[in-house]
Amino acid sequence: MIGLNIIPHDMVILRGIVEFSLAVPIVILNYKYFTSGFKAIFRLNPNMDSLIAIGTVTSILFSLWELFSDCLTILFVYQPPPVYCISHR
């Protein structure tokens, strides 16, 4: 991935805080996915907004855990391995 190296790699905490501060406004602007998604979950009728809400909240919580934990080995959100569709012929 090509990007700007504005913050040196030595400042891991600062880099994580900057990445988090860039992600928060996007989450705030798209709050409708969270409200409709969690309402659908509590009504036991999940939809695509529920999937977006659960995935985003999980990735943010995981990133915050890794940012402020002692191990500091990972500062990015893991992407799950690709799922291949197996078609029966």
Side-chain angles (χ1 to χ4, degrees):
M1 180 181 279
I2 299 173
L4 298 174
N5 273 334
I6 297 173
I7 301 171
H9 292 288
D10 300 348
M11 300 180 173
V12 178
I13 301 287
L14 180 62
R15 180 179 292 270
I17 291 172
V18 168
E19 289 175 2
F20 181 72
S21 65
L22 290 173
V24 168
I26 304 302
V27 172
I28 291 172
L29 287 175
N30 294 314
Y31 72 94
K32 66 179 181 171
Y33 292 113
F34 297 102
T35 56
S36 65
F38 284 118
K39 282 181 186 177
I41 289 173
F42 291 130
R43 292 180 186 152
L44 299 177
N45 188 16
N47 54 14
M48 194 61 168
D49 293 342
S50 304
L51 181 65
I52 292 170
I54 289 174
T56 306
V57 168
T58 305
S59 65
I60 288 174
L61 291 176
F62 179 75
S63 298
L64 285 175
W65 172 263
E66 287 296 319
L67 180 63
F68 295 114
S69 69
D70 292 335
C71 54
L72 284 181
T73 56
I74 306 160
L75 273 181
F76 57 90
V77 176
Y78 278 129
Q79 292 182 355
V83 178
Y84 298 103
C85 295
I86 299 173
S87 61
H88 298 287
R89 294 183 186 185

